[in-house]
Amino acid sequence: MFARNWIAGAAGIAVLALLPMIAQAQDLVFSVTEGVTYQATPKEIRDKFEPIAEALSRALKRNVRIQLVPSYNDVRAGLKTQQYDIAYIHPAHVALEAIKSGRYKALAWTAGYTEYTASIMGDAKAPLKSFAEIKGHSLVTPERDSITWAMINAMLRQEKFGPADVKVMNTRYQDAVPFYIEKGFAEYGATAANAVVKHWTDKGGKVYARSMPVPIKQIIGSTRLPAADLDRIREILLSLSQNDAGQRALAPSGYKGFVAANPEVERNVMAWLGI
């Protein structure tokens, strides 16, 4: 009897000793939420981010598992309960909401996307001289929960426009905005897609106003993770562009790398967006 109890007790102690190792071996969940106003399949998105997750796994010696979360409301719910250890979020207002709550901290911004601006476009012969004169006109923007709409809404708020002062309509995709202007459904259109703006101006169209720049495509980390872990993840992300292996991991995404977040810019953008 004593021997059996001793063996059971020893086994229990061994299991307890292994618990920290088991906890340490748990996957880190890396959620990815791309923009809703661009057309990309789940496979295309996963293929972009899997190599980055693998690079993090190798450096951390811990599996990093990608979880695609297309819906903004779904990712908000997950962020609220800190379901994700790391989150890549295209729409800046969603990432900043999570940071403002204290549940997440900025880890890095995507290089080349730190000064994202929304442009107000129209026919070259349109009478608009400044954004303030858009009152009484019609405007088409990407859908209401996109970062582009959040920026346009901030511009409207700056001008103290009421809900009925500008007739706003929405379309899902950025590249559909010029169609609305060309067909006369709206007098002006808003987009933050540089390719759409270039195509519009190349055809003789005009840009009448631009918004304040906003950093988009942010990577944030859960404050449930130890501060040392967050610092290490940040360090790995920022170093990817500095070595061959990191550059190979970045290549499928088309991104040049990641840069450090600027807390002052973050605060200013939050205030401007009304977060």
Side-chain angles (χ1 to χ4, degrees), residues 53 149 184 207 260:
W149 165 248
V207 171

Side-chain angles (χ1 to χ4, degrees), residues 101-120:
S101 74
R103 299 183 184 95
Y104 285 81
K105 288 187 176 180
L107 294 179
W109 294 345
T110 304
Y113 294 87
T114 60
E115 296 190 344
Y116 192 74
T117 56
S119 297
I120 305 297

Side-chain angles (χ1 to χ4, degrees), residues 93-137:
H93 58 302
V94 176
L96 293 172
E97 287 165 5
I99 292 170
K100 184 73 176 286
S101 74
R103 299 183 184 95
Y104 285 81
K105 288 187 176 180
L107 294 179
W109 294 345
T110 304
Y113 294 87
T114 60
E115 296 190 344
Y116 192 74
T117 56
S119 297
I120 305 297
M121 309 184 306
D123 187 275
K125 297 178 181 178
L128 197 68
K129 294 179 182 178
S130 69
F131 186 72
E133 294 184 9
I134 203 169
K135 184 175 181 179
H137 294 280

Side-chain angles (χ1 to χ4, degrees), residues 37 39 140 171-182 196:
T37 61
Q39 302 183 53
V140 59
T171 182
R172 172 150 194 185
Y173 297 116
Q174 300 259 8
D175 53 11
V177 169
F179 174 83
Y180 276 71
I181 305 171
E182 291 168 346
V196 174

Side-chain angles (χ1 to χ4, degrees), residues 2-230:
F2 174 79
R4 285 199 301 270
N5 288 342
W6 183 87
I7 292 170
I13 292 170
V15 170
L16 288 173
L18 284 171
L19 284 177
M21 295 174 64
I22 294 170
Q24 182 65 23
Q26 287 179 343
D27 292 355
L28 285 174
V29 179
F30 184 2
S31 72
V32 176
T33 303
E34 274 281 24
V36 295
T37 61
Y38 297 94
Q39 302 183 53
T41 67
K43 183 182 184 304
E44 288 170 338
I45 296 170
R46 184 175 290 278
D47 288 348
K48 286 172 60 174
F49 288 92
E50 283 287 6
I52 296 172
E54 290 167 4
L56 285 168
S57 293
R58 286 192 298 272
L60 294 168
K61 295 180 172 56
R62 185 173 177 184
N63 190 49
V64 177
R65 173 168 54 87
I66 291 286
Q67 181 175 339
L68 301 184
V69 190
S71 164
Y72 291 3
N73 285 335
D74 286 350
V75 78
R76 283 188 176 102
L79 294 169
K80 188 173 182 179
T81 55
Q82 293 178 292
Q83 292 179 25
Y84 321 119
D85 300 295
I86 311 165
Y88 173 97
I89 302 178
H90 172 112
H93 58 302
V94 176
L96 293 172
E97 287 165 5
I99 292 170
K100 184 73 176 286
S101 74
R103 299 183 184 95
Y104 285 81
K105 288 187 176 180
L107 294 179
W109 294 345
T110 304
Y113 294 87
T114 60
E115 296 190 344
Y116 192 74
T117 56
S119 297
I120 305 297
M121 309 184 306
D123 187 275
K125 297 178 181 178
L128 197 68
K129 294 179 182 178
S130 69
F131 186 72
E133 294 184 9
I134 203 169
K135 184 175 181 179
H137 294 280
S138 56
L139 174 70
V140 59
T141 82
E143 66 178 52
R144 294 276 174 150
D145 202 16
S146 66
I147 180 56
T148 304
W149 165 248
M151 295 160 74
I152 295 302
N153 196 37
M155 294 173 72
L156 293 170
R157 190 168 54 247
Q158 271 187 324
E159 296 296 336
K160 298 181 171 55
F161 288 147
D165 286 341
V166 178
K167 181 185 177 183
V168 177
M169 60 194 76
N170 302 100
T171 182
R172 172 150 194 185
Y173 297 116
Q174 300 259 8
D175 53 11
V177 169
F179 174 83
Y180 276 71
I181 305 171
E182 291 168 346
K183 299 301 181 183
F185 300 131
E187 295 167 274
Y188 300 96
T191 182
N194 289 334
V196 174
V197 173
K198 183 178 186 305
H199 184 67
W200 181 256
T201 54
D202 286 350
K203 289 171 58 178
K206 188 173 179 180
V207 171
Y208 286 89
R210 294 186 192 276
S211 74
M212 170 180 169
V214 168
I216 62 164
K217 298 181 182 285
Q218 303 186 18
I219 299 183
I220 60 178
S222 171
T223 52
R224 281 188 176 179
L225 291 176
D229 288 1
L230 292 176

